[in-house]
Amino acid sequence: MLLPILALLGSQVSVNLGAAVAKNLFGVIGVEAITAFRVGFSALLLLAIFRPWRFRLTGRDVVNLLVYGTVMGMMNLLIYRAFERIPIGIAVAIEVTGPLAVALLSSRRPRNIAACALAGFGLYLLLPIHSGDAGRVDPAGVAYAFGAAACWALYIVFGKRASSLRGGQAVAWGMLVASLFIVPLGAFHVDASVLTPAIVLVGLAIAVLSSALPYSLEIVALRGLPQGLFGMLSSAAPAISALAAMLVLGERLNAMQWIAIGCIVVASAGSATLARRK
């Protein structure tokens, strides 16, 4: 079981490294262009790997994939907009409330309600509503993170509907759909004069670190870990993101923000445990 655990850890490290690299480029070519690099290159890589056109799609599959790909693209764009304005650890902590809400709404047992209350308390500590901390977290960044959370919840719902497709068809087609509107949006906002070969290579690296490599490692982890354990380990993502941002970008959180992230991590882990038992 060590290899799947290491694969999952490697996936989270890769995602956070990709986020750190991307955030360093926001001021150079803009959030939209960085998102376009991530989604566009990821679509090309996933299409080349899975070759989904080999299998026929039904009309229902097409509808599900259109919604799935749209929310995937919006999720990427909104979370990058959040990263631009607030620390990565806080943005990820807010974003994971999306899948947490999906898990909790599937069951209204008392323990689920307790997990929801704990996550709500964590969010209360993070939100810019306290008199002494109102200027510490950008409200617009928080709003973008909540938007990404809503997209992640829809991503799970429609991803489940599209999961009947063979192999990696769903994620490949979904990323292609996302690229159809994210890439033109990025091209519209970017200044072509800054797109040097070095910047393009960094964009490719972001796509590999943030999407292609994590997806591959997560497949290894899912095959070797029970679903509940996978969920529990994944719930540590906000804490890992905060640590990575502190080490790579120098983003430091105060004690209240760390406590808030801890509450959300515990709530997510508890939700994963309850889902496994159910």
Side-chain angles (χ1 to χ4, degrees):
M1 191 175 290
L2 179 60
L3 179 60
I5 291 176
L6 291 176
L8 183 56
L9 178 61
S11 172
Q12 295 187 359
V13 170
S14 180
V15 166
N16 287 297
L17 182 58
V21 174
K23 186 162 185 173
N24 278 325
L25 284 183
F26 286 164
V28 179
I29 62 175
V31 173
E32 292 82 3
I34 291 294
T35 309
F37 273 130
R38 175 179 177 175
V39 172
F41 280 131
S42 295
L44 293 176
L45 292 170
L46 292 169
L47 288 171
I49 292 171
F50 294 112
R51 295 177 291 170
W53 56 83
R54 296 175 298 166
F55 307 102
R56 185 177 179 179
L57 298 175
T58 66
R60 184 178 180 182
D61 292 332
V62 171
V63 173
N64 287 332
L65 287 171
L66 286 174
V67 180
Y68 172 67
T70 299
V71 297
M72 181 188 294
M74 289 303 300
M75 180 174 66
N76 280 276
L77 178 61
L78 290 172
I79 196 60
Y80 272 5
R81 283 197 172 277
F83 287 169
E84 184 184 26
R85 290 167 172 79
I86 61 178
I88 289 176
I90 294 177
V92 173
I94 295 173
E95 186 190 25
V96 299
T97 60
L100 177 59
V102 172
L104 295 177
L105 289 175
S106 65
S107 174
R108 297 182 180 179
R109 297 170 58 186
R111 292 183 180 179
N112 292 75
I113 296 174
C116 184
L118 183 60
F121 177 67
L123 287 175
Y124 169 76
L125 296 179
L126 284 179
L127 297 182
I129 57 178
H130 311 289
S131 59
D133 294 330
R136 292 182 180 274
V137 181
D138 184 348
V142 171
Y144 283 129
F146 272 117
C151 288
W152 196 350
L154 292 172
Y155 167 87
I156 292 172
V157 173
F158 285 93
K160 179 66 175 177
R161 296 180 183 180
S163 63
S164 59
L165 300 177
R166 297 183 184 180
Q169 286 185 85
V171 68
W173 283 127
M175 197 65 78
L176 176 62
V177 171
S179 68
L180 293 179
F181 71 94
I182 291 294
V183 171
L185 180 66
F188 177 78
H189 283 87
V190 73
D191 181 357
S193 63
V194 303
L195 293 180
T196 63
I199 292 293
V200 174
L201 286 176
V202 173
L204 177 60
I206 291 171
V208 173
L209 289 170
S210 300
S211 298
L213 182 57
Y215 288 150
S216 302
L217 291 174
E218 284 182 2
I219 290 175
V220 175
L222 283 167
R223 287 173 179 170
L225 293 175
Q227 184 175 348
L229 180 57
F230 180 90
M232 289 181 64
L233 294 174
S234 298
S235 66
I240 294 176
S241 297
L243 288 171
M246 182 176 66
L247 294 174
V248 178
L249 299 174
E251 294 183 351
R252 299 189 178 277
L253 306 181
N254 59 37
M256 180 179 291
Q257 290 167 339
W258 276 111
I259 292 172
I261 289 175
C263 289
I264 294 173
V265 167
V266 172
S268 300
S271 173
T273 302
L274 292 172
R276 177 185 61 182
R277 290 176 179 174
K278 181 180 178 182

